[in-house]
Amino acid sequence: MNAFSTHNVTNQAPPLPNGNLFRGDLALREAVEREGAAGVQSELTEIGETMARPDIIELGNLANRSVPQLRTHDRFGNRLDEVEFHPAWHELMRLFARAGLHCSAWANPGPGAHVARAAAYYLCGQVENGTQCPLTMTFAAVPVLRRHGAEIPDLANTWLPRVLSREYDPRFLPAAQKTGVQVGMGLTEKQGGSDVRANTTRAEPETSTGPGCAYRLTGHKWFFSSPMSDAFLVLAQTAGGLGCFFVPRFRPDGSRNALHLQRLKDKLGNRSNASSEVEFADAHGWLLGEEGRGVPVIVEAVNSTRLDCALGTAGIMRLALRHALHHTSHRMTFGRRLTEHPLMRNVLADLALEVEAATTLSLRLARCFDHLGDTGEDALRRLLTPAAKYWICKRGPTFAAEAMEVLGGNGYVEESVLPRLYREMPVNSIWEGSGNVMCLDVLRAAAKSPESLTVVFDEIALARGGNAVLDQTLDTLRSEKLGEAYARRFTAALVLAFQGALLVRFAPAAVSDAFCASRLGPERGGAFGTLGANADLLAILQRARAE
């Protein structure tokens, strides 16, 4: 200690150790095996090890500190409409593309393919979330293109093989000259937001009308996600109503398409990812499906993105929990480690319950996508996708704030990752349908397909007899009258019951009993850290600390 030093640094937690994000997550490992993807555990173990490396984690920090820059024109006045990213962004995109986040379940279909991809997405989300946006949209575009794009020129020979490629190619070139491509979306406009039927962008046919025909688009999009993508799914009005279009960055003759980027959004979070405003000036695009069927066409893609919203939020929760557990295991206060204080132990255990419930539900939902065409799984998917997206994403900001508070001032500064995680949380709740939209979708699914609600109730009933509070909750849910004003209340109760049932069936009693008592029973509180006296806090934390 030199003459000018005033103190020694003590009682600080060491850096979070590398570990392995997959091996150290017991709830995730069990869900992967249970939901049908046991055969890919070695691949997930490799991803889990990579995502815990300090150099990979630092890429996420760099990508968020150095935000994208828009270049509208070159120095001679020619339009560029290009976005420049930090090299860390491109490294993460290469890494995540190699992991197949955008394509694996479509390129290598089979039992457990969607569950395996969901687990990989959850693990990669613990490094950086902005890069997940273009990968999610590309993934979601595949079934839409396969179902509705057969008549698009070069779809089979040029577009789909490159969408399914695990090569990340950031070059701004026509698709045929690249090794891999991405697909973004342009849905909302400033006057309508979620009400896409209020869109004013117009699409006029170049010659003939109908599926696969070329149109010219004129108008704007208020949120144009991942503007450096190679093509976009875009909603625009036609003579026959709202249509969905496949709009490439380059025209068939190789010239730049008339997608004029106006500015990049200055966002709360998700800052590594570019979101833009755009004007279409007779932009070239091909119609997917029939005129007037734009919403049903795009909904197929949106359902996949909503699953990723839940998965991404669950992954961020897990990372925040890891930091909270690590800090409290080392920090000393009042003569004891933080984790030895009963009230702190209650907070940590409560956070751990939330993570396990979100993870378990998300992987169960992913299994629905592995059984498309199965009557029961399709019914479950229709109702559970918006419900899970609503509740898990709604819990995210509160969860991140509590985890930050566990670290106190150390968690509030930017050198820790907690502020970035906190800012990241709201986007998944807002993107692809806000909370009200999700809950109204739940009501619509229940009204349009009453069997969906029956299937959900029947799966909850598989846990009957395992927890009295859950049994009573199910009986109450069955008698609920559905109404718009109470849609949030019903959706939350439905998700909590489904989560409780999964935990009763598959988690240790210490986890399921504490979850049901604190989320469904009279003991439930309004904040984390309010578990009752019967909760086995040590057992819950031991499971969360499997690593």
Side-chain angles (χ1 to χ4, degrees):
M1 183 171 175
N2 66 49
F4 299 101
S5 294
T6 59
H7 71 288
N8 291 321
V9 177
T10 61
N11 197 27
Q12 291 283 351
L16 196 67
N18 291 14
N20 186 299
L21 301 187
F22 182 67
R23 281 206 305 263
D25 193 335
L26 186 55
L28 177 64
R29 294 203 325 260
E30 290 177 354
V32 165
E33 183 170 358
R34 180 173 61 247
E35 306 301 349
V40 298
Q41 293 205 24
S42 60
E43 291 89 337
L44 293 174
T45 298
E46 182 178 349
I47 292 173
E49 183 174 353
T50 300
M51 297 306 144
R53 281 169 32 194
D55 61 315
I56 301 301
I57 293 170
E58 180 58 17
L59 291 176
N61 295 329
L62 290 171
N64 280 273
R65 285 200 297 267
S66 304
V67 298
Q69 300 296 315
L70 174 62
R71 302 287 180 251
T72 58
H73 296 78
D74 67 16
R75 68 190 182 94
F76 302 107
N78 300 304
R79 286 211 71 101
L80 291 177
D81 296 305
E82 297 182 23
V83 181
E84 294 180 0
F85 294 87
H86 189 274
W89 165 275
H90 296 300
E91 286 301 313
L92 287 171
M93 288 294 291
R94 287 189 185 91
L95 186 65
F96 294 170
R98 285 198 297 268
L101 300 195
H102 65 299
C103 68
S104 62
W106 308 125
N108 304 108
H114 282 272
V115 172
R117 182 259 174 190
Y121 191 94
Y122 170 97
L123 292 170
C124 292
Q126 296 179 51
V127 171
E128 210 286 310
N129 309 103
T131 44
Q132 291 186 299
C133 177
L135 296 164
T136 284
M137 291 188 294
T138 302
F139 181 78
V142 174
V144 173
L145 294 176
R146 283 178 168 173
R147 183 185 297 271
H148 302 287
E151 298 177 16
I152 292 177
D154 291 330
L155 180 76
N157 296 324
T158 297
W159 287 101
L160 279 178
R162 288 164 176 79
V163 168
L164 299 177
S165 167
R166 295 202 184 195
E167 294 292 326
Y168 169 66
D169 188 342
R171 295 175 299 166
F172 190 46
L173 294 170
Q177 300 176 34
K178 300 183 66 172
T179 58
V181 299
Q182 300 164 37
V183 181
M185 292 184 184
L187 309 183
T188 60
E189 299 182 3
K190 58 177 75 81
Q191 77 282 350
S194 297
D195 183 10
V196 294
R197 295 189 186 279
N199 284 3
T200 60
T201 296
R202 300 293 307 177
E204 302 292 339
E206 293 187 0
T207 52
S208 56
T209 63
C213 291
Y215 286 68
R216 296 187 304 273
L217 280 68
T218 303
H220 79 281
K221 293 296 169 185
W222 188 230
F223 275 90
F224 196 56
S225 299
S226 298
M228 282 311 293
S229 297
D230 299 280
F232 302 87
L233 301 182
V234 176
L235 294 178
Q237 299 287 356
T238 70
L242 197 65
C244 181
F245 294 86
F246 184 69
V247 180
R249 286 302 303 265
F250 288 85
R251 297 175 183 271
D253 63 6
S255 63
R256 297 185 184 216
N257 206 356
L259 282 62
H260 298 157
L261 304 182
Q262 302 301 298
R263 63 172 176 169
L264 299 185
K265 299 290 192 178
D266 187 5
K267 299 175 292 183
L268 168 70
N270 203 245
R271 295 185 66 82
S272 68
N273 177 44
S275 300
S276 69
E277 298 168 25
V278 67
E279 291 284 344
F280 303 120
D282 275 352
H284 175 85
W286 294 285
L287 179 64
L288 297 170
E290 300 284 347
E291 290 187 356
R293 298 290 295 167
V295 171
V297 170
I298 201 65
V299 160
E300 189 167 3
V302 166
N303 279 335
S304 291
T305 63
R306 289 173 177 174
L307 168 62
D308 282 4
C309 288
L311 286 166
T313 301
I316 300 173
M317 285 181 177
R318 175 62 186 175
L319 177 59
L321 176 64
R322 289 184 71 231
H323 279 277
L325 293 173
H326 177 70
H327 177 83
T328 56
S329 295
H330 293 86
R331 184 80 162 180
M332 300 290 293
T333 61
F334 308 105
R336 289 187 288 181
R337 297 186 188 278
L338 267 175
T339 192
E340 294 172 344
H341 291 273
L343 185 53
M344 179 59 76
R345 190 175 289 165
N346 195 312
V347 171
L348 295 170
D350 211 352
L351 292 173
L353 291 178
E354 193 72 28
V355 173
E356 178 151 356
T359 303
T360 302
L361 174 59
S362 297
L363 270 290
R364 174 62 187 94
L365 179 57
R367 176 153 66 94
C368 294
F369 288 79
D370 271 324
H371 297 277
L372 299 176
D374 179 286
T375 303
E377 292 295 298
D378 282 347
L380 192 65
R381 176 174 52 84
R382 279 193 293 271
L383 197 69
L384 202 57
T385 300
K389 194 267 192 190
Y390 164 71
W391 184 248
I392 292 174
C393 297
K394 190 61 65 180
R395 295 288 281 172
T398 303
F399 186 100
E402 192 69 60
M404 184 188 303
E405 188 173 326
V406 168
L407 275 69
N410 286 354
Y412 194 70
V413 296
E414 288 293 338
E415 286 88 346
S416 85
V417 74
L418 273 301
R420 172 155 66 91
L421 301 187
Y422 180 69
R423 291 193 300 270
E424 200 69 43
M425 283 297 196
V427 69
N428 282 331
S429 189
I430 294 170
W431 187 51
E432 300 294 27
S434 63
N436 283 357
V437 172
M438 292 302 93
C439 295
L440 293 175
D441 276 0
V442 169
L443 295 190
R444 277 191 288 269
K448 185 176 180 180
S449 306
E451 70 277 7
S452 296
L453 201 53
T454 301
V455 170
V456 172
F457 287 155
D458 287 349
E459 181 144 342
I460 295 172
L462 295 175
R464 185 173 287 281
N467 184 281
V469 175
L470 176 62
D471 292 348
Q472 183 178 358
T473 299
L474 177 57
D475 293 339
T476 302
L477 275 173
R478 288 188 186 276
S479 61
E480 282 275 350
K481 291 184 178 180
L482 306 185
E484 180 177 327
Y486 316 106
R488 284 192 176 212
R489 175 175 173 169
F490 175 77
T491 301
L494 189 71
V495 174
L496 287 169
F498 202 92
Q499 288 178 321
L502 290 172
L503 296 179
V504 166
R505 293 170 64 197
F506 304 119
V511 171
S512 59
D513 288 348
F515 182 89
C516 291
S518 60
R519 271 65 171 176
L520 302 175
E523 294 182 10
R524 60 181 177 268
F528 287 106
T530 57
L531 300 181
N534 292 327
D536 191 341
L537 306 180
L538 287 175
I540 296 169
L541 289 175
Q542 184 177 8
R543 179 171 171 82
R545 287 193 180 106
E547 60 186 295

